[in-house]
Amino acid sequence: MSSEEKELEQKIFPVFHDIIVNTQVEKDLLKKCKNGDIDSLFSVARTLEIHNNENLGNSSDDKDVPGGLLGQLVKSPFSSASLPLDIFTYLADFKDHASSQAKMGHYHSMLSMTMMTPEDTAEKYGNSFVILQISRYYKLAGENGHHQSLYNAGLILFEGATGVNDLVGSMAYFQAAATLHYHFGEKNGIDDKITNIAREAHGTTAVAAVKLAINNEISFEEIADLFIFSSLDPPPPPDTPNVYREELVQTTWEKAVRALISFSTSRKSKDTKQLLNAKVALEKLVDINKEASENSGRPALNNFQLFMILNLLVNYVFAHEFSPSSSSTTTNNNDYDIAIQYAISLSENPLCYLHYESSKAGDSDSNSRKLSCFNEAISSALSFAQAKNGDGRGDIEQILDIAKSHPHASSYWVNV
């Protein structure tokens, strides 16, 4: 037993001795508390917390002293105003009690509000002990199945309250909060409002990750994890084709990411073996998705996953493969045709389609240009078409028709 645990026990358990209660219900509750029953201790702490909050700010003469067990605890010479907090801390830190961990997260959240003024910034308090405690307790409670805490932990990580904007961590917690009902049923503490809010937050996190990917401001390792945490689908029934397909998607995705990391960190800058491995794996994922859609009417990948795959193919794999400095000998028209189709598919992906450049040529709107996924995908498709041997006008006209169909994107590059 640690010194902290022993100190808390010495504060808590003497309070329950030398107390006399009349009803059998209170006698049973008192006995359970003396024996360290977790649920009974938590119930008493909550009752004391409510009493203390109701009498907050009252003088000693004005404070309401209840009867029964609660009154005895309030009047105990061993008791103090911090008793509820001591019990919550004891249960949260040493008994792994989810509801107490959630209480401690809430307590530190309230404490942080008293420390901060509207002028204070997250950066100023980002690494403070209180903020870190909020994150720690909500994570613990969430990992023990406390629904609200799963969402709270995700929100803290997304907003960077601990000093770091952790999109991977936030998406993981939002995913867990949004899909908890799949694992525990519709009851058992599952709140539909939290589920719906978590789904929205999960979508917001996905969009934030897409923006980073568009700007090449995200690592392969982060992309790898975000891909896995992006699904909000229910787990497939056991012993069904969907289980095999899900496992195949995950193992193929892992192969692609490992190959990309190996290629990007290789000292042999012209060694394209790992780039080819990544290309094969990424194209296999596209094929798996197409086959699932055709056979079952339900794609194997969501829009976020498909965006990440297509973005890596178009803006990393083919960008390296077709670059003048590449040692690859792949220059036949078939490869360019495949690259064109992937670039078009990327431009049509909803997460790419919504990020377009609306400024005209010569405009200085750098923010618009920075997030112009649609425009960049169209430009890549045009570049691949122009690089084909022979007449690529048919491809170019098709690509320009797609570009012109966008209701908002700039068309200053139409006359290619």
Side-chain angles (χ1 to χ4, degrees):
M1 180 185 295
S2 68
S3 59
E4 292 85 359
E5 183 178 359
K6 187 175 182 180
E7 182 180 347
L8 282 169
E9 287 190 351
Q10 290 172 347
K11 286 182 178 181
I12 295 167
F13 290 103
V15 176
F16 297 104
H17 292 280
D18 300 325
I19 285 181
I20 299 174
V21 290
N22 297 321
T23 69
Q24 189 60 46
V25 172
E26 290 190 329
K27 287 179 181 179
D28 292 342
L29 180 60
L30 181 60
K31 182 179 179 180
K32 288 179 179 179
C33 287
K34 289 179 179 179
N35 292 333
D37 181 75
I38 292 174
D39 291 334
S40 299
L41 286 169
F42 180 76
S43 176
V44 167
R46 284 191 63 187
T47 305
L48 284 169
E49 179 188 39
I50 292 169
H51 168 76
N52 290 348
N53 289 340
E54 288 175 347
N55 287 276
L56 197 65
N58 291 345
S59 64
S60 300
D61 295 335
D62 294 333
K63 285 184 177 179
D64 173 45
V65 179
L69 177 59
L70 178 59
Q72 293 289 315
L73 291 173
V74 171
K75 291 183 288 186
S76 170
F78 298 103
S79 184
S80 68
S82 67
L83 180 60
L85 183 61
D86 291 336
I87 295 175
F88 291 142
T89 304
Y90 173 73
L91 296 178
D93 287 353
F94 304 107
K95 301 302 176 182
D96 204 26
H97 186 239
S99 295
S100 295
Q101 290 161 344
K103 276 285 185 184
M104 291 303 295
H106 178 72
Y107 164 76
H108 283 92
S109 296
M110 295 298 100
L111 183 61
S112 71
M113 291 181 186
T114 65
M115 293 169 58
M116 299 182 188
T117 63
E119 294 77 29
D120 293 325
T121 63
E123 181 180 357
K124 182 176 179 181
Y125 289 102
N127 292 313
S128 73
F129 174 77
V130 172
I131 297 295
L132 292 175
Q133 289 293 83
I134 297 171
S135 177
R136 180 173 80 88
Y137 279 118
Y138 278 143
K139 285 180 183 178
L140 286 171
E143 287 161 8
N144 281 319
H146 192 274
H147 201 186
Q148 177 74 57
S149 294
L150 284 170
Y151 171 77
N152 289 345
L155 188 63
I156 288 168
L157 294 174
F158 179 79
E159 293 181 340
T162 58
V164 178
N165 292 90
D166 183 357
L167 288 186
V168 173
S170 62
M171 183 172 274
Y173 279 106
F174 287 146
Q175 180 200 53
T179 60
L180 195 65
H181 60 290
Y182 295 143
H183 306 283
F184 292 95
E186 296 299 331
K187 297 181 181 179
N188 298 316
I190 306 299
D191 188 329
D192 289 342
K193 290 183 180 178
I194 296 173
T195 298
N196 293 333
I197 293 172
R199 290 183 71 89
E200 292 179 12
H202 184 272
T204 301
T205 308
V207 171
V210 165
K211 291 179 179 179
L212 293 179
I214 293 171
N215 296 332
N216 297 316
E217 296 174 350
I218 192 168
S219 69
F220 290 131
E221 291 83 357
E222 289 173 309
I223 292 173
D225 291 334
L226 288 166
F227 183 96
I228 302 302
F229 294 133
S230 68
S231 175
L232 296 182
D233 292 332
D239 301 322
T240 62
N242 287 344
V243 174
Y244 168 74
R245 186 185 299 125
E246 192 173 276
E247 291 174 353
L248 182 61
V249 166
Q250 185 159 340
T251 55
T252 306
W253 172 247
E254 289 170 357
K255 287 179 183 178
V257 173
R258 281 198 298 268
L260 288 169
I261 293 173
S262 180
F263 174 78
S264 66
T265 57
S266 174
R267 294 182 179 180
K268 297 179 181 180
S269 59
K270 294 186 178 181
D271 180 7
T272 58
K273 180 181 177 181
Q274 291 301 330
L275 188 68
L276 178 61
N277 290 340
K279 177 184 175 182
V280 169
L282 292 170
E283 290 184 329
K284 183 178 180 180
L285 287 167
V286 176
D287 291 340
I288 293 171
N289 188 61
K290 182 180 179 181
E291 181 182 349
S293 297
E294 291 175 349
N295 293 341
S296 66
R298 177 184 174 187
L301 304 170
N302 57 51
N303 285 332
F304 179 86
Q305 292 172 328
L306 196 54
F307 166 84
M308 287 298 178
I309 292 168
L310 294 171
N311 188 57
L312 287 171
L313 277 169
V314 173
N315 295 315
Y316 194 84
V317 173
F318 288 123
H320 280 282
E321 186 176 324
F322 298 152
S323 68
S325 61
S326 173
S327 61
S328 173
T329 58
T330 304
T331 56
N332 64 73
N333 282 355
N334 183 57
D335 287 307
Y336 283 118
D337 285 336
I338 293 171
I340 290 168
Q341 291 308 309
Y342 283 137
I344 291 173
S345 295
L346 176 60
S347 74
E348 294 173 340
N349 180 282
L351 291 170
C352 181
Y353 191 83
L354 292 173
H355 292 94
Y356 55 86
E357 181 182 339
S358 58
S359 57
K360 300 297 182 182
D363 217 331
S364 60
D365 186 356
S366 59
N367 288 331
S368 173
R369 292 178 182 276
K370 201 174 184 183
L371 291 175
S372 57
C373 180
F374 176 82
N375 304 63
E376 294 299 328
I378 292 296
S379 294
S380 295
L382 289 171
S383 297
F384 299 151
Q386 289 174 318
K388 286 177 62 174
N389 295 321
D391 186 9
R393 287 307 307 174
D395 294 310
I396 291 173
E397 289 176 5
Q398 177 196 1
I399 296 165
L400 292 179
D401 285 342
I402 295 171
K404 293 175 185 178
S405 70
H406 197 294
H408 305 295
S410 169
S411 58
Y412 67 81
W413 27 252
V414 163
N415 297 318
V416 177

